[in-house]
């Protein structure tokens, strides 16, 4: 049976997410804001949760209707056949978002009204009711209200897909795994050439690059997905999908190199690459960016250098000038991709970017820029 699904992601990653979905066999893909809609069967839904690197979660929309007041919202939610999806013995939770909906200016109230409708339906039809578990529910329900258009979905992922299972410690400003994977895919990195992150922190970019190079499914270590609690869960199909991903690992003999000025942070990075099972291809060292020696190009640099939030702004210009000087002197033949919340940070680096796009790191609006380091790279106009 073919259904429509919605894969959610960060702003700016819709294009690479759509490409990933198409490579998995998704049909009728459509880019949305921070999401991609696609058609597929249950097997594709399982594969998407397991294999997508740039998806945060995957929703299965159940119904969409016009809702203008709380009475209509209750009736809409009550009209969905919830017994098709789970039992009174299971737990559930609701996430809700109301945008430009004057009758529903409180998302918590929206969630509460939908909860009442679901509980009342179970009690009326079975004489029992499922319990709420906000921390670890069996079933997660998503309610999205934009003006008077309401969509109620069931979340096939459960916990966010960025939680790969390899990172449990690190420095105070870690890069989200989905964002890191998106940067790797956006870079167009050729896995036969070196990849370097000289500001590697806890190693997220390095780890995501290595799992991509080995073709390791990013969520192969996860023990639970939301769809496992659905009534239509097909255990045999899921086992086959999981085993196919498990044996899909390919050989990789390339170079992935990371460094950071802090030995303590490098210790965390080493723990993470070991937990992800990719430590054999990643070389780590505690060095500053200016001390880092690099293999001759061609190659790719992807980095998340310190922003103003982690550094006094008076120090930003000096650091970014050092980055620019090092790129020009040592990275000939490389494509350098840098992300920063410092607006137009290329003016400090002194190079003209060949690509520039907006991405969000947490709540910070950032720019991702590509610098092509050919011989005699042009300085940016001051």
């Amino acid at each position: 049976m073919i259904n429509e699904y919605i894969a959610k992601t960060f702003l700016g990653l819709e294009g690479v997410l759509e490409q990933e979905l198409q490579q998995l066999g998704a049909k009728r893909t459509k880019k949305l804001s921070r999401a991609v809609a696609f058609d597929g069967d249950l097997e594709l839904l399982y594969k998407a949760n397991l294999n997508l690197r740039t998806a945060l979660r995957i929703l299965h929309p159940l119904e969409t209707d016009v809702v203008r007041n709380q009475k209509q919202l209750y009736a809409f939610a009550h009209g969905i056949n919830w017994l098709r999806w789970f039992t009174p013995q299971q737990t559930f939770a609701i996430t809700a978002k109301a945008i430009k909906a004057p009758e529903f200016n409180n998302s918590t109230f929206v969630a509460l009204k939908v909860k009442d409708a679901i509980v009342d339906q179970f009690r009326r039809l079975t004489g029992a009711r499922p319990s709420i578990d906000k921390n670890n529910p069996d079933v997660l329900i998503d309610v999205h209200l934009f003006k008077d258009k309401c969509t109620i979905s069931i979340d096939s992922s459960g916990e966010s897909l960025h939680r790969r299972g390899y990172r449990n410690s690190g420095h105070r400003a870690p890069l989200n795994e989905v964002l890191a994977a998106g940067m790797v895919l956006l870079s167009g990195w050729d896995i036969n050439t070196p990849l370097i992150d000289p500001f590697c922190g806890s190693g997220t970019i390095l780890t995501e690059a290595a799992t991509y190079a080995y073709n390791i499914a990013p969520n192969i270590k996860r023990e639970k997905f939301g769809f496992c609690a659905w009534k239509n869960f097909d255990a045999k199909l899921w086992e086959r999908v999981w085993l196919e991903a498990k044996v899909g690992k390919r050989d990789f003999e390339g170079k992935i190199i990371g460094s950071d000025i802090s030995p303590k942070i490098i210790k965390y990075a080493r723990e993470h690459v070991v937990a992800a099972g990719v430590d054999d291809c990643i070389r780590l060292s505690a060095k500053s960016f200016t001390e880092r020696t690099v293999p001759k190009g061609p190659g790719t640099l992807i980095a998340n250098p310190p922003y103003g939030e982690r550094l006094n702004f008076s120090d930003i210009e000096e650091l970014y000038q050092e980055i620019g000087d090092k790129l020009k002197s040592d990275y000939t033949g490389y494509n350098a991709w840098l992300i920063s919340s410092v607006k137009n940070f290329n003016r400090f680096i002194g190079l003209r970017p060949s690509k520039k796009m907006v991405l969000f790191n947490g709540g910070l609006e950032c720019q991702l820029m590509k610098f092509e380091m050919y011989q005699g790279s042009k300085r940016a106009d001051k």
Side-chain angles (χ1 to χ4, degrees):
M1 182 178 178
I2 302 298
N3 293 298
E4 181 188 49
Y5 302 111
I6 304 290
K8 302 183 76 172
T9 189
F10 291 122
L11 181 70
L13 297 184
E14 299 93 344
V16 288
L17 175 55
E18 183 178 38
Q19 290 174 5
E20 283 196 278
L21 281 163
Q22 291 170 349
Q23 290 168 2
L24 282 179
K27 306 298 182 184
R28 295 181 61 201
T29 59
K30 181 182 179 181
K31 285 189 287 186
L32 308 171
S33 176
R34 295 179 173 86
V36 178
F38 66 100
D39 287 353
D41 56 12
L42 204 59
E43 180 176 356
L44 181 64
L45 180 67
Y46 294 172
K47 286 183 176 180
N49 274 282
L50 190 61
N51 291 284
L52 291 177
R53 302 180 189 279
T54 56
L56 290 165
R57 57 182 65 252
I58 301 171
L59 304 179
H60 177 18
L62 301 180
E63 299 284 348
T64 298
D65 205 350
V66 173
V67 169
R68 294 193 175 95
N69 54 55
Q70 57 178 298
K71 184 177 180 180
Q72 290 179 345
L73 175 63
Y74 177 93
F76 173 44
H78 193 274
I80 296 173
N81 181 8
W82 293 107
L83 272 74
R84 175 188 173 192
W85 296 100
F86 62 109
T87 71
Q89 289 70 44
Q90 292 175 289
T91 61
F92 76 104
I94 297 172
T95 60
K97 181 175 288 187
I99 304 169
K100 296 182 180 179
E103 294 296 321
F104 303 98
N105 55 7
N106 188 322
S107 296
T108 302
F109 174 77
V110 172
L112 183 63
K113 209 66 184 172
V114 173
K115 183 269 293 182
D116 289 343
I118 295 172
V119 167
D120 289 349
Q121 183 191 103
F122 271 100
R123 188 182 286 119
R124 177 174 62 86
L125 295 176
T126 70
R129 55 152 290 177
S131 298
I132 296 291
D133 185 344
K134 294 182 179 180
N135 297 320
N136 189 30
D138 295 317
V139 175
L140 185 60
I141 296 163
D142 180 270
V143 183
H144 187 269
L145 189 60
F146 179 72
K147 296 183 178 178
D148 61 357
K149 181 181 178 182
C150 184
T151 299
I152 296 181
S153 307
I154 190 165
D155 189 330
S156 73
S157 306
E159 190 175 41
S160 174
L161 295 175
H162 83 274
R163 298 185 182 276
R164 317 287 207 211
Y166 63 77
R167 191 171 73 184
N168 53 24
S169 60
H171 66 8
R172 58 187 174 180
L175 203 64
N176 182 286
E177 291 88 337
V178 163
L179 179 58
M183 290 167 61
V184 172
L185 296 180
L186 284 168
S187 76
W189 170 49
D190 177 354
I191 65 173
N192 297 310
T193 63
L195 183 140
I196 298 174
D197 180 0
F199 296 95
C200 73
S202 54
T204 309
I205 291 174
L206 304 173
T207 307
E208 293 297 322
T211 57
Y212 164 70
Y214 277 121
N215 196 39
I216 297 172
N219 285 301
I220 198 72
K221 290 183 177 292
R222 281 182 57 141
E223 296 180 358
K224 179 183 176 183
F225 292 87
F227 58 74
C228 295
W230 296 358
K231 276 188 174 181
N232 70 345
F233 175 57
D234 188 331
K236 289 184 177 179
L237 176 60
W238 168 238
E239 183 180 13
R240 177 165 63 80
V241 167
W242 189 89
L243 286 173
E244 285 177 359
K246 185 70 173 177
V247 301
K249 183 179 178 180
R250 65 189 172 202
D251 293 334
F252 171 63
E253 298 179 357
K255 295 178 180 178
I256 299 179
I257 302 167
S259 55
D260 196 279
I261 198 169
S262 166
K264 180 180 179 181
I265 294 301
I266 288 296
K267 177 178 176 291
Y268 289 138
R270 188 163 284 114
E271 291 175 358
H272 296 158
V273 301
V274 168
V278 293
D279 51 304
D280 54 342
C281 75
I282 297 177
R283 292 187 291 176
L284 294 166
S285 58
K287 292 182 179 179
S288 70
F289 178 56
T290 54
E291 293 174 325
R292 169 86 270 168
T293 58
V294 299
K296 289 186 177 181
T300 300
L301 178 147
I302 306 176
N304 174 36
Y307 308 161
E309 286 71 24
R310 285 181 273 162
L311 212 66
N312 292 327
F313 195 82
S314 58
D315 298 327
I316 284 285
E317 184 172 359
E318 181 180 353
L319 171 63
Y320 282 34
Q321 283 177 349
E322 289 179 355
I323 292 173
D325 292 342
K326 182 72 170 178
L327 290 176
K328 289 190 285 285
S329 65
D330 289 16
Y331 283 83
T332 300
Y334 276 73
N335 289 323
W337 293 80
L338 301 174
I339 187 170
S340 177
S341 66
V342 179
K343 192 172 180 62
N344 297 321
F345 64 88
N346 57 296
R347 70 188 187 273
F348 299 135
I349 288 179
L351 291 166
R352 186 178 296 120
S354 59
K355 284 187 179 179
K356 185 190 296 186
M357 63 191 72
V358 174
L359 295 175
F360 278 81
N361 183 10
L364 293 175
E365 181 177 338
C366 298
Q367 290 176 308
L368 176 67
M369 297 190 192
K370 176 186 179 182
F371 303 96
E372 298 179 18
M373 303 310 301
Y374 52 86
Q375 190 69 39
S377 291
K378 294 180 181 178
R379 293 185 64 84
D381 295 332
K382 296 223 171 181

